[in-house]
C-alpha cells in the first residue's frame, strides 16, 4: 500500500539515554526522513551548531513564536523552552517523509493528542540509572549541577514509559539500533484511520 502522506516517529528518553547516537546509526537505513530541528532557549553546548542541532533563540523570541502559534508543541524541560515548529513538519509530511522528533514526554503527549493517528512513539532508556550517570559524565557536555538535574528528571520521565508504543533499552548500541530500524520501518506503514476505508474500497475494485 502506498500512503499519500508521511508518518511521525517520536523518540523520547532521558538526556544521555542515547537517542542521538541511535539515530545516527539508523538514519541511513530507513528511507526518506526529516529530522525535526527544535527551537530552544537553552545555551548552546560545545560541539553544537545553530540550525543543525537546534535553532538557538532567546526567551523573548521563543515567546513571540508561541504567541504567533508557530509551534506544533512546546514545553519547558530542565528550565528551558523547547519547541517544534509546525511549518517544516507539514512540508515533510506532505512529501511522504518519516518525520522524526527527539522530544520529551510532555511533547509526546501533545503529538499523540494532535497527530496520534500517524505517530509511532518510542521510549529509549539507559540500562540503569548508574549507567546513565556514567554516560552523562563521560559525554563531558554538562556541569555537575546540570547532570544532577537531568538525573532527577530521568527518574520522573521513566514513570511515563507506558505512554509509548515501544521501549528500547539501550545497553548494546548495535542491538538497540537494530530494534529501532525495525520500528522506524514499521512506523512508515502505520495506517491512518482516514486511509483505511479508501484502501479497502480501492482493493475491492481491483478484485472485481
Ligand atoms: P541523548 O541524545 O539521549 O542525550 P547521546 O546519544 O548523546 O544521548 O548519548 C549520551 C552518551 O552516551 C554519549 O557520550 C554516547 O556516546 C554514549 N552512549 C550512547 N549509547 C551508548 C551505549 N549503548 N553504550 C555506551 N555508551 C553509549
Ligand atoms: P537536550 O538539552 O539534552 O538537547 O534535550 C533535553 C530534553 O529536551 C530531551 O528530553 C529532548 O528530547 C527534549 N526536547 C528537545 N527538543 C524538544 C522539543 O522540541 N519539544 C519538546 N517537548 N522537548 C524537546
Amino acid at each position: 500500500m502506498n500512503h499519500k502522506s508521511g508518518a511521525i516517529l517520536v523518540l523520547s528518553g532521558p538526556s544521555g539515554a542515547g537517542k542521538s547516537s541511535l539515530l545516527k546509526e539508523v538514519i541511513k537505513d530507513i528511507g526518506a526522513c526529516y529530522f525535526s530541528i527544535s527551537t530552544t532557549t537553552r545555551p548552546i553546548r560545545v560541539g553544537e551548531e545553530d540550525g543543525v542541532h537546534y535553532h538557538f533563540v532567546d526567551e523573548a523570541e521563543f515567546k513571540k513564536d508561541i504567541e504567533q502559534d508557530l509551534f506544533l508543541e512546546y514545553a519547558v524541560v530542565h528550565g528551558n523552552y523547547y519547541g517544534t515548529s509546525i511549518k517544516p513538519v507539514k512540508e515533510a509530511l506532505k512529501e511522504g517523509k518519516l518525520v522524526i522528533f527527539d522530544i520529551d514526554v510532555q511533547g509526546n503527549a501533545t503529538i499523540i493528542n494532535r497527530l496520534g493517528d500517524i505517530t509511532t512513539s518510542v521510549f529509549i532508556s539507559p540500562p540503569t540509572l548508574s549507567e546513565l550517570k556514567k554516560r552523562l559524565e563521560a559525554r563531558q557536555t554538562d556541569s555537575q549541577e546540570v547532570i544532577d538535574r537531568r538525573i532527577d528528571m530521568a527518574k520522573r520521565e521513566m514513570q511515563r514509559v507506558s505512554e509509548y508504543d515501544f521501549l528500547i533499552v539501550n545497553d548494546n548500541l548495535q542491538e538497540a539500533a537494530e530494534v529501532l530500524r525495525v520500528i522506524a520501518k514499521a512506523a512508515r506503514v502505520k495506517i491512518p484511520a482516514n486511509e483505511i476505508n479508501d484502501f479497502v474500497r480501492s482493493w475491492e475494485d481491483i478484485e472485481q
Side-chain angles (χ1 to χ4, degrees):
M1 167 180 187
N2 290 318
H3 287 306
K4 293 180 202 78
S5 51
I8 292 174
L9 180 67
V10 172
L11 304 182
S12 300
S15 185
K19 299 179 294 291
S20 326
S21 310
L22 282 169
L23 202 53
K24 213 166 130 195
E25 284 295 315
V26 308
I27 199 98
K28 57 190 181 309
D29 309 319
I30 56 174
C33 6
Y34 167 72
F35 178 74
S36 166
I37 302 168
S38 298
T39 301
T40 185
T41 59
R42 99 147 146 69
I44 190 164
R45 286 183 195 138
V46 175
E48 283 182 332
E49 239 181 278
D50 187 23
V52 176
H53 298 88
Y54 284 102
H55 300 292
F56 294 94
V57 298
D58 61 23
E59 208 166 300
E61 203 175 329
F62 198 99
K63 286 184 171 162
K64 207 171 76 194
D65 284 2
I66 296 175
E67 273 166 30
Q68 292 178 345
D69 219 6
L70 297 183
F71 291 122
L72 178 58
E73 65 75 34
Y74 71 91
V76 176
V77 188
H78 312 307
N80 297 299
Y81 282 95
Y82 292 83
T84 306
S85 299
I86 296 176
K87 200 171 160 225
V89 171
K90 253 186 172 171
E91 282 165 9
L93 286 174
K94 243 193 269 166
E95 288 166 12
K97 290 184 177 157
L98 181 68
V99 179
I100 303 174
F101 295 135
D102 173 345
I103 57 176
D104 84 321
V105 287
Q106 306 168 77
N108 177 58
T110 309
I111 297 293
I112 297 291
N113 209 2
R114 298 188 73 170
L115 293 164
D117 228 22
I118 57 167
T119 300
T120 300
S121 62
V122 184
F123 192 95
I124 294 170
S125 146
T128 59
L129 195 59
S130 54
E131 177 63 22
L132 178 64
K133 264 186 205 159
K134 257 194 243 159
R135 287 184 194 172
L136 283 174
E137 280 160 7
R139 189 165 72 178
Q140 295 189 322
T141 52
D142 300 296
S143 65
Q144 194 56 46
E145 190 202 331
V146 170
I147 290 177
D148 290 346
R149 221 179 320 140
R150 282 168 192 262
I151 293 289
D152 268 354
M153 186 73 191
K155 289 186 203 164
R156 266 175 281 150
E157 284 172 317
M158 291 298 291
Q159 305 299 316
R160 295 182 63 174
V161 173
S162 62
E163 294 175 29
Y164 288 77
D165 295 317
F166 298 100
L167 166 68
I168 299 180
V169 179
N170 176 23
D171 191 352
N172 176 297
L173 188 73
Q174 293 312 324
E175 284 174 18
E178 188 46 33
V179 178
L180 184 58
R181 266 184 212 106
V182 172
I183 295 171
K185 286 178 187 172
R188 269 184 197 289
V189 286
K190 179 168 178 169
I191 309 172
N194 64 354
E195 282 189 18
I196 295 176
N197 289 341
D198 288 353
F199 172 66
V200 173
R201 226 174 286 125
S202 65
W203 181 82
E204 283 174 358
D205 284 350
I206 293 164
E207 285 299 294
Q208 281 162 9

